[in-house]
Amino acid sequence: MQAEHTADAPARIHWTEEGQPRSARWRSESGMPPPKKVVIADDKTPADVAYRLACEGTALLWRGDFHNARQLLQALARRADHKGGRARAPKVPASPADAFHLHRQAQSQRARTLAMLLLPFEADYSVPLRRAPDVKQACNEAYGRGDEPFVASMRELLGLIGAHEWRKNGVEIAALGARIHPHYGVFSPIRGEYVALVADAPLPPACALAFDIGTGTGVLAALLAQRGVGRVVATDMDARALSCARENLQRLGVSDSVEVVQADLFPEGRANLVVCNPPWLPGRPSSSIEYAVYDPDSRMLKGFLNGLAAHLAQGGEGWLILSDLAEHLGLRPREQLLALIAAGGLQVIERHDVRPTHPRAADPSDPLHAARAAELTSLWRLRAL
C-alpha cells in the first residue's frame, strides 16, 4: 500500500482491495503527497477508528455511500477540533508571532488529518459511489478535461464544489455595483474594504494609463476602468487568474479598455497609476490559493516597491494596498515597510485607512483576535523621489 511519484509521471497511489493490488493517479491541489498507507473504508467503519487511522497517516479509500462519507468527514472534524481545544489545556503563546505560528501549525495538522478520507473518481469525473452528486462541471472547472481515473480527498472535492458555487453565483462588490465571479484557485475579493479604498482614493491628474499588478479576479482593474482610466494593463503569473480576470472583465463590459497579460509583476512601460494588492502576510503558503495570502519572504511586496519608480510616468502614483495585520502579529514591523519604501526611491504622499468588517475581527474566540481587532487596511499613495 505504497505511493510513488517521479518527475516524468503524475503521482500514483497504491492499495490492496479484495486481495488484489490496485493503483490510480493521485490528485492534490494543496500539493499533499499521496498517502503511503491506504485501507478500504465503508459505511461500517466507526468514526473513532477512522480518526485514529487518519491521525496515524493512514488514508481511508471510501467504498460506501457518499452522504455517509460526508457525515464521517464531519465526525473527523469534530474530533480534530476537540483534540485541539477542550481535551487539553492549550499552550499559552509567548507573543503574537508565537500565537500565529501555533495557529498555522494547528490548521496544517487538522488539514492533513481531514485529507485522509479519499474518494475514487472515473476519468469523466463521475464518482462511483451510491448517492454521489454530479460533480463533473466543478471538476472540469478546476482540473480541466479529465483523462484517467484518479483518487483525491473528499475535503478537496468539497472545496471544488464550493468554488463552483462561488463562480456560479459571484461575489457582490458594492464599489463596482456588480458581481465578481472567482474561479477555483483564485482568491475571492470578499474583503470589500480594500476595494472601497481604491474606489475612493483620488486619481492622479490626467490618468490615461494604469497598471494593476497581480490582478487575480480582475476586480481592481475593472474598478479603475469604471472610474474612467482610459487604459488599464492587468498582470498576473497564474493561468487560472488570467482566465478568471478576462472572463470577469468581459462580463462587466470593460474588456475593451483593460488588457490582461501574463507577467511577473510589471508590464513594459510607465503608467500614471500603478496599483498592487500583494499578499498581506509574509510566510510560506501551504496550497496554491494561499499564495494570495502568504508572500514568501515578502517577495511580491519587495518586488513591487523596488520596481515601482521605474514604471511610473512623470507625476504618477503607486498605490500599495496592504493590511497591517503582519505588524500586529509581529511578522513584519512598520519600520521594515517604511525602509522598503525608502529603498525603492519612493515617498509617501498620503495614506488612507479602513477597519476590516469581516466577522473574525469581532470574534473573541479567534486565536488571532487581538491582532485582527487592531488591524487596519491601508492604501499607501506613493511617488518617486
Side-chain angles (χ1 to χ4, degrees), residues 30-66:
S30 69
M32 173 182 160
K36 295 182 177 180
K37 296 181 179 179
V38 183
V39 298
I40 301 300
D42 58 24
D43 305 321
K44 298 178 182 178
T45 303
D48 286 336
V49 172
Y51 182 68
R52 176 178 56 80
L53 290 169
C55 288
E56 294 170 353
T58 298
L60 299 97
L61 179 56
W62 191 256
R63 294 300 191 192
D65 178 87
F66 183 90

Side-chain angles (χ1 to χ4, degrees), residues 271-345:
N272 309 103
L273 175 63
V274 183
V275 177
C276 184
N277 175 32
W280 290 347
L281 295 175
R284 183 172 60 87
S286 62
S287 63
S288 58
I289 199 169
E290 283 198 344
Y291 277 94
V293 180
Y294 297 100
D295 188 10
D297 194 34
S298 299
R299 175 193 172 277
M300 187 172 180
L301 174 64
K302 292 175 181 177
F304 173 71
L305 293 174
N306 287 337
L308 177 59
H311 289 87
L312 285 177
Q314 184 70 30
E317 292 185 17
W319 290 359
L320 172 65
I321 300 101
L322 195 67
S323 158
D324 66 357
L325 183 62
E327 299 175 18
H328 297 295
L329 291 173
L331 304 177
R332 181 178 57 229
R334 174 61 60 94
E335 292 75 20
Q336 182 181 347
L337 175 61
L338 295 176
L340 290 173
I341 291 173

Side-chain angles (χ1 to χ4, degrees), residues 26-348:
W26 168 252
R27 279 191 181 271
S28 172
E29 283 293 310
S30 69
M32 173 182 160
K36 295 182 177 180
K37 296 181 179 179
V38 183
V39 298
I40 301 300
D42 58 24
D43 305 321
K44 298 178 182 178
T45 303
D48 286 336
V49 172
Y51 182 68
R52 176 178 56 80
L53 290 169
C55 288
E56 294 170 353
T58 298
L60 299 97
L61 179 56
W62 191 256
R63 294 300 191 192
D65 178 87
F66 183 90
H67 289 256
N68 289 344
R70 291 194 67 157
Q71 291 180 353
L72 177 61
L73 185 63
Q74 292 168 358
L76 296 179
R78 288 193 297 271
R79 284 160 173 78
D81 294 339
H82 180 74
K83 179 182 178 182
R86 296 182 299 273
R88 61 185 180 185
K91 179 180 177 181
V92 178
S95 65
D98 189 34
F100 170 74
H101 292 304
L102 286 172
H103 177 60
R104 288 280 286 160
Q105 185 181 50
Q107 282 184 318
S108 177
Q109 183 170 342
R110 183 182 189 273
R112 284 195 302 270
T113 299
L114 299 185
M116 289 293 110
L117 181 57
L118 311 182
L119 299 178
F121 293 78
E122 301 292 1
D124 66 352
Y125 296 133
S126 59
V127 179
L129 298 174
R130 294 189 308 276
R131 295 200 292 170
D134 183 349
V135 297
K136 293 178 183 177
Q137 185 173 352
C139 290
N140 268 292
E141 290 172 352
Y143 297 142
R145 178 175 295 183
D147 52 7
E148 64 175 312
F150 65 96
V151 170
S153 78
M154 180 161 203
R155 195 163 185 254
E156 176 157 315
L157 174 61
L158 296 181
L160 265 63
I161 294 171
H164 169 67
E165 293 301 315
W166 277 108
R167 179 170 177 171
K168 180 174 66 175
N169 298 325
V171 181
E172 184 68 32
I173 305 297
L176 272 178
R179 288 182 174 270
I180 285 288
H181 296 257
H183 290 193
Y184 180 80
V186 183
F187 197 70
S188 175
I190 52 176
R191 291 282 299 264
E193 65 265 18
Y194 79 88
V195 183
L197 285 172
V198 175
D200 295 338
L203 291 171
C207 189
L209 174 63
F211 295 160
D212 175 23
I213 309 302
T215 193
T217 62
V219 60
L220 297 185
L223 183 58
L224 293 173
Q226 276 196 359
R227 293 194 62 187
V229 177
R231 179 169 173 258
V232 181
V233 180
T235 71
D236 211 295
M237 284 291 290
D238 183 74
R240 284 172 170 163
L242 295 168
S243 174
C244 178
R246 291 188 180 108
E247 185 178 299
N248 278 310
L249 294 166
Q250 185 172 8
R251 180 184 286 110
L252 293 168
V254 295
S255 55
D256 288 345
S257 55
V258 182
E259 180 185 5
V260 179
V261 300
Q262 186 169 28
D264 186 2
L265 295 176
F266 300 95
E268 295 293 327
R270 295 173 178 263
N272 309 103
L273 175 63
V274 183
V275 177
C276 184
N277 175 32
W280 290 347
L281 295 175
R284 183 172 60 87
S286 62
S287 63
S288 58
I289 199 169
E290 283 198 344
Y291 277 94
V293 180
Y294 297 100
D295 188 10
D297 194 34
S298 299
R299 175 193 172 277
M300 187 172 180
L301 174 64
K302 292 175 181 177
F304 173 71
L305 293 174
N306 287 337
L308 177 59
H311 289 87
L312 285 177
Q314 184 70 30
E317 292 185 17
W319 290 359
L320 172 65
I321 300 101
L322 195 67
S323 158
D324 66 357
L325 183 62
E327 299 175 18
H328 297 295
L329 291 173
L331 304 177
R332 181 178 57 229
R334 174 61 60 94
E335 292 75 20
Q336 182 181 347
L337 175 61
L338 295 176
L340 290 173
I341 291 173
L346 304 164
Q347 69 179 56
V348 179

